[in-house]
RNA sequence: AGGCCCAUGGUGUAAUGGUAGCACAGAGGUUUUUGGUACCUUUAGUUGGGGUUCGAGUCCCUGUGGGCCUGCCA
């Protein structure tokens, strides 16, 4: 059974199931994924995406994509587009594309209703004073001196706020709840603030903007959301969420909270990710080292790996730390059955076959994927001069090293058994070439009377295609980069998170790349980096990263979008497991 | 500290009040023209203390530890 088919039970799934069985809302299930368009989506968001969209899918319901855009100062259209592309790339399709800003008028009307009902008031305290009146964790707050204004005066003032007649920050609309509540969110929370900022959708139509608390629950309610699933930090906001719905007597959406995903060796906060981009530590939001969805996509991570990973980590209220190794395992596991095998030499060392005729070329048949017979075969040219990986030769090899050594034999993957006769060095003593001989009786056959354990990959020098290969590693050197009070997370940047090499590839990879280019240009309206408009998720655009291969014995790689007809660029998605590395 | 929430191997999780299981990581092995994959074996766990019960990871009390809340952010 594949990992995707498994839907382990968790408390939220249990709740949805029980609600559906009891006939709540006639069994209808409506969820939503509510990002704020103030940054790119990261792997933590993918947990929420898989949960919300996955539950809707599983229970025959729908999931909306809703942009929580109530703070114009931080939100941009660029982020909206990136978020949509990421959700689609993960393979999900939203029922409706919504914006909290579409509800601004309704929200405003509801605010007037609360005022009319004596449940909200205009407060003239500034931010600092409001804080002082709020009290502390252990002391109750004091009522605002403006709390007892008349309904008429409140209504009048609020309308003037809306008309843009007061300076920013001079007044707020607040709910009248309980200044003594041990839950600080209930101490007369702010519903509206005056903020003359240009909004990415409503432009300058509004000088006042509703707060998250006054927006989120009502937005859910308007969309008839049955299960509003959010992260743990909103737990203490739930009473407020319910209060507004009760006062307004609107559709009773309910909020459920789960623990957000924490991954080691990375940072997840949008602020810190922005900092990495702004300070040039990474090239962009979609730098393959970023934990963003776009970064993972560019790195070659298949979307299915995200879905499987999110099923694997489960959903609980426990705030833990997931090992990145689990994600990497999921990526390998997902790629193994589908990634065609190719040979690529990352650190070329010249090998001359002294007993192989110069100018002769054989085309050797190789299996594309031992895990998938349907993947077929390909031809690989073999000739007098080869490249092998420098790593696969050792002059003074330890006992357990069963790759190439002087006088030793090794199997050339898919080809002959080869013996190292002579080591050629330069004046400085560096090995620059190996002179070897092949055993012609060993093509597709085991050698007579001896066992050759080592197998190494190779590329024919005459046919090798050069490419830039980017070897990515984790961005941070410590498990919790932002968990140190003394040191800033920027101090833990891994200096070797990117290593770029010029590799020699078997020519088939140039053909592979050409096919991808052809497919992408055949769909010219779907550019590489941007989402085409009007494309549903089933027809998502093709990305260069959709060419995912395994460089045998090395790792999984994908074609990078920086590739051109003249120059190929590959990214390492994840290395293969290497049990030899532990011996060293 | 006031309130709310949480606690199962190193990590992430599962277990109508009834044999503590799975995955990752670690160790060992089999197979292998990838030191990959697959398969097998193995190390390791219910936060402490009380109670209820024939029986408690599960229910109750209490301690300890952790998270969140004092934005006109979300």
């Amino acid at each position: 059974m594949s990992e995707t088919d498994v839907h382990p039970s968790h408390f939220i799934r249990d709740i949805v199931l029980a609600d559906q069985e009891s006939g709540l809302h006639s069994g209808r299930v409506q969820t939503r994924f509510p990002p704020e368009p103030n940054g790119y989506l990261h792997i933590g968001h993918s947990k929420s995406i898989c949960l919300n969209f996955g539950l809707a899918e599983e229970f025959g319901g729908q999931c909306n994509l809703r942009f929580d855009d109530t703070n114009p100062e931080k939100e941009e259209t660029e982020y909206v587009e990136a978020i949509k592309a990421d959700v689609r790339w993960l393979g999900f399709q939203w029922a409706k594309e919504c914006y909290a800003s579409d509800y601004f008028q309704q929200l405003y009307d509801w605010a007037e209703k609360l005022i009319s009902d004596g449940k909200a008031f205009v407060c003239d305290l500034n931010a600092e004073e409001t804080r002082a009146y709020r009290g502390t964790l252990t002391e109750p707050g004091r009522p605002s001196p403006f709390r007892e204004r008349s309904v008429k005066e409140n209504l009048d003032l609020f309308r003037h706020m809306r008309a843009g007649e007061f300076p920013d920050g001079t007044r707020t609309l607040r709910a009248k709840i309980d200044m003594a509540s041990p839950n600080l969110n209930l101490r007369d929370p702010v519903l509206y603030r005056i903020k003359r900022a240009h909004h990415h959708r409503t432009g300058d139509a509004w000088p006042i903007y509703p707060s998250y608390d006054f927006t989120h629950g009502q937005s859910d309610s308007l969309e008839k959301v049955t299960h509003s699933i959010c992260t743990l930090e909103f737990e203490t906001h739930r009473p407020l969420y319910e209060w507004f719905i009760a006062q307004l007597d609107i559709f009773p959406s309910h909020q459920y909270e789960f623990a957000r995903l924490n991954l080691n060796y990375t940072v997840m906060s949008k602020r810190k990710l922005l900092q990495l981009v702004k300070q040039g530590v990474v090239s962009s939001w979609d730098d393959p080292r970023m934990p963003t969805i776009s970064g993972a996509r560019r790195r070659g991570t298949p979307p299915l790996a995200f879905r499987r990973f999110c099923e694997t980590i489960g959903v609980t209220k426990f705030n833990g730390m997931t090992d990145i190794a689990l994600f990497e395992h999921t990526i390998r596991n997902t790629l193994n059955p589908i990634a065609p095998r190719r040979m690529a030499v990352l650190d070329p060392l010249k090998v001359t076959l002294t007993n192989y005729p110069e100018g002769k070329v054989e085309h050797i048949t190789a299996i594309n994927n031992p895990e998938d017979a349907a993947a077929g075969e390909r031809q690989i040219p073999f000739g007098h001069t080869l490249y092998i990986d420098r790593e696969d030769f050792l002059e003074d090899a330890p006992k357990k090293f069963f790759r190439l050594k002087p006088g030793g034999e090794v199997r050339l993957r898919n080809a002959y058994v080869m013996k190292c006769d002579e080591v050629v060095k330069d004046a400085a003593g560096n090995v620059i070439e190996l002179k070897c001989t092949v055993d012609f009786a060993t093509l597709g056959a085991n050698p007579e009377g001896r066992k050759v354990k080592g197998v190494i990959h190779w590329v024919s020098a005459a046919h090798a295609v050069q490419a830039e290969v980017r070897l990515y590693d984790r961005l941070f050197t410590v498990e919790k980069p932002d968990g140190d009070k003394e040191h800033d997370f920027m101090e833990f940047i891994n200096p070797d998170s990117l290593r770029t090499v010029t590799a020699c590839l078997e020519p088939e990879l140039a053909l592979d790349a050409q096919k991808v280019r052809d497919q992408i240009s055949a769909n010219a309206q779907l550019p590489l980096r941007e989402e085409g408009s009007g494309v549903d998720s089933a027809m998502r655009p093709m990305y260069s990263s959709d060419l995912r291969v395994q460089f045998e014995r090395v790792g999984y790689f994908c074609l990078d979008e920086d590739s051109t007809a003249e120059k190929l660029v590959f990214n390492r998605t994840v290395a293969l497991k290497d049990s030899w590395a532990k011996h060293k």
Side-chain angles (χ1 to χ4, degrees):
Chain A
M1 176 173 316
S2 83
E3 290 167 58
T4 23
D5 303 328
V6 185
H7 289 290
S9 173
H10 61 247
F11 78 102
I12 294 181
R13 180 175 275 126
D14 291 345
I15 289 168
V16 175
L17 183 64
D19 285 348
Q20 191 168 60
E21 283 180 344
S22 74
L24 183 68
H25 306 308
S26 312
R28 188 177 58 85
V29 172
Q30 174 75 55
T31 57
R32 105 267 91 115
F33 172 61
E36 182 188 11
N38 67 343
Y40 280 63
L41 259 27
H42 54 64
I43 183 167
H45 293 110
S46 75
K47 180 175 179 183
S48 174
I49 293 170
C50 291
L51 224 202
N52 279 294
F53 283 92
L55 245 21
E57 237 166 46
E58 186 181 343
F59 290 92
Q62 296 190 324
C63 181
N64 292 343
L65 174 61
R66 182 171 72 233
F67 293 97
D68 226 330
D69 54 353
T70 57
N71 185 1
E73 285 165 346
K74 295 182 177 172
E75 295 148 7
E76 294 172 27
T77 305
E78 176 201 347
Y79 296 130
V80 170
E81 293 309 313
I83 288 167
K84 285 161 68 177
D86 287 345
V87 173
R88 265 199 275 254
W89 179 75
L90 284 173
F92 294 109
Q93 195 157 17
W94 49 90
K96 289 187 202 151
E97 180 179 328
C98 309
Y99 294 81
S101 53
D102 287 346
Y103 310 137
F104 279 175
Q105 185 58 48
Q106 174 65 264
L107 258 9
Y108 177 86
D109 294 342
W110 275 331
E112 286 209 352
K113 173 178 161 50
L114 284 187
I115 294 171
S116 302
D117 291 349
K119 290 165 183 166
F121 67 100
V122 171
C123 180
D124 298 359
L125 260 25
N126 64 29
E128 197 182 327
E129 293 162 338
T130 304
R131 193 178 315 125
Y133 272 90
R134 188 157 32 227
T136 67
L137 294 177
T138 49
E139 301 158 23
R142 290 141 45 220
S144 160
F146 305 98
R147 199 176 201 260
E148 300 308 327
R149 287 216 249 238
S150 70
V151 167
K152 186 170 176 296
E153 189 184 0
N154 278 322
L155 223 37
D156 186 57
L157 283 168
F158 188 50
R159 285 169 185 168
H160 284 294
M161 278 171 66
R162 197 267 172 263
E165 291 167 19
F166 303 126
D168 284 15
T170 52
R171 284 185 167 85
T172 57
L173 181 73
R174 294 224 262 160
K176 231 187 258 190
I177 306 183
D178 177 9
M179 287 308 289
S181 171
N183 182 345
L184 302 237
N185 296 122
L186 263 22
R187 319 245 261 228
D188 291 5
V190 169
L191 272 39
Y192 271 90
R193 68 273 210 199
I194 303 172
K195 190 184 291 238
R196 252 157 288 246
H198 189 80
H199 189 279
H200 73 116
R201 300 197 94 226
T202 61
D204 301 311
W206 294 85
I208 57 173
Y209 289 94
S211 63
Y212 164 86
D213 284 312
F214 191 64
T215 306
H216 204 95
Q218 290 96 304
S219 301
D220 286 339
S221 183
L222 283 168
E223 293 170 25
K224 301 279 189 290
V225 167
T226 56
H227 302 265
S228 178
I229 302 164
C230 62
T231 44
L232 248 31
E233 66 269 26
F234 293 101
E235 231 163 3
T236 51
H237 291 248
R238 192 182 342 123
L240 232 197
Y241 180 104
E242 291 169 346
W243 191 85
F244 289 125
I245 285 177
Q247 302 310 311
L248 266 12
D249 192 26
I250 54 180
F251 181 85
S253 297
H254 281 283
Q255 175 182 303
Y256 303 92
E257 310 88 11
F258 70 97
R260 59 156 20 113
L261 169 66
N262 295 304
L263 265 188
N264 60 11
Y265 294 104
T266 191
V267 293
M268 218 77 107
S269 94
K270 286 185 191 170
R271 202 204 93 229
K272 291 182 177 120
L273 295 179
L274 219 207
Q275 194 180 336
L276 290 168
V277 173
K278 287 225 162 123
Q279 297 189 10
V281 173
V282 297
S283 61
S284 55
W285 281 96
D286 72 346
D287 185 295
R289 290 166 291 181
M290 291 283 273
T292 51
I293 292 176
S294 51
R297 172 170 65 229
R298 188 162 176 187
R299 184 153 167 168
T301 309
L304 181 58
F306 275 88
R307 290 180 177 238
R308 289 180 163 179
F309 178 62
C310 290
E311 274 311 333
T312 304
I313 58 178
V315 180
T316 67
K317 302 190 79 152
F318 175 68
N319 228 307
M321 175 78 78
T322 299
D323 194 340
I324 189 79
L326 184 55
F327 188 46
E328 291 170 346
H329 167 262
T330 310
I331 295 169
R332 287 191 197 99
N333 226 6
T334 303
L335 253 14
N336 179 45
I338 61 169
R341 271 52 170 176
R342 298 290 184 258
M343 290 200 285
V345 175
L346 267 36
D347 186 8
L349 173 61
K350 185 180 172 188
V351 171
T352 303
L353 299 176
T354 55
N355 68 339
Y356 198 91
E358 230 169 311
K360 178 182 176 182
V361 175
E362 277 179 284
H363 290 276
I364 294 175
T365 300
I367 301 254
N368 279 329
N369 189 343
E371 308 290 324
D372 178 17
E377 300 172 333
R378 71 188 184 286
Q379 304 292 311
I380 308 174
F382 185 91
H384 175 258
T385 310
L386 311 175
Y387 290 121
I388 65 167
D389 245 314
R390 193 164 285 276
E391 250 194 11
D392 289 331
F393 173 78
L394 230 44
E395 230 183 336
D396 298 301
K399 195 94 176 127
K400 287 260 188 76
F401 185 83
F402 40 83
R403 275 116 97 154
L404 197 60
K405 50 193 164 192
E409 278 188 309
V410 78
R411 162 73 69 178
L412 292 170
R413 175 72 167 153
N414 296 310
Y416 303 96
V417 167
M418 173 178 86
K419 183 179 179 189
C420 176
D421 304 310
E422 189 187 336
V423 180
V424 183
K425 296 181 182 176
D426 64 10
N430 301 311
V431 177
I432 54 168
E433 183 187 346
L434 264 24
K435 291 197 187 298
C436 304
T437 45
V438 291
D439 180 344
F440 288 100
T442 57
L443 189 61
N446 284 324
E448 296 285 322
R450 67 217 132 102
K451 261 192 217 146
V452 174
K453 181 146 170 100
V455 179
I456 65 172
H457 56 279
W458 53 274
V459 167
S460 164
H463 306 85
V465 174
Q466 293 228 320
E468 175 177 324
V469 173
R470 299 172 182 169
L471 302 167
Y472 293 103
D473 202 349
R474 44 185 64 144
L475 233 198
F476 295 95
T477 54
V478 296
E479 281 200 45
K480 287 164 47 171
D482 49 7
D484 195 314
K485 287 187 178 70
E486 326 272 275
H487 300 276
D488 187 73
F489 77 103
M490 296 293 274
E491 294 176 40
F492 301 113
I493 299 280
N494 175 8
D496 301 318
S497 61
L498 169 59
R499 218 175 85 230
T500 303
V501 299
T502 301
C504 292
L505 315 179
E506 67 163 282
E508 188 74 19
L509 279 161
L511 265 38
D512 295 331
Q514 185 57 49
K515 277 183 207 154
V516 171
R517 267 199 302 278
D518 290 347
Q519 283 186 56
I520 289 172
S521 61
N523 227 341
Q525 73 273 30
L526 303 177
L528 279 179
R529 303 194 63 165
E530 291 162 39
E531 184 74 355
S533 51
V535 180
D536 72 18
S537 67
M539 292 296 292
R540 70 173 181 78
M542 178 145 186
Y543 298 90
S544 58
S545 59
D546 285 345
L547 173 60
R548 303 186 183 91
V549 296
Q550 182 195 103
F551 289 174
E552 283 201 88
R553 304 205 314 126
V554 179
Y556 294 98
F557 291 77
C558 76
L559 187 67
D560 187 79
E561 65 192 27
D562 285 346
S563 296
T564 64
E566 290 75 39
K567 183 191 179 193
L568 296 180
V569 179
F570 281 88
N571 297 329
R572 180 168 69 193
T573 308
V574 62
L576 248 36
K577 276 172 94 177
D578 184 3
S579 56
W580 166 247
K582 288 168 196 158
H583 287 277
K584 289 190 279 194

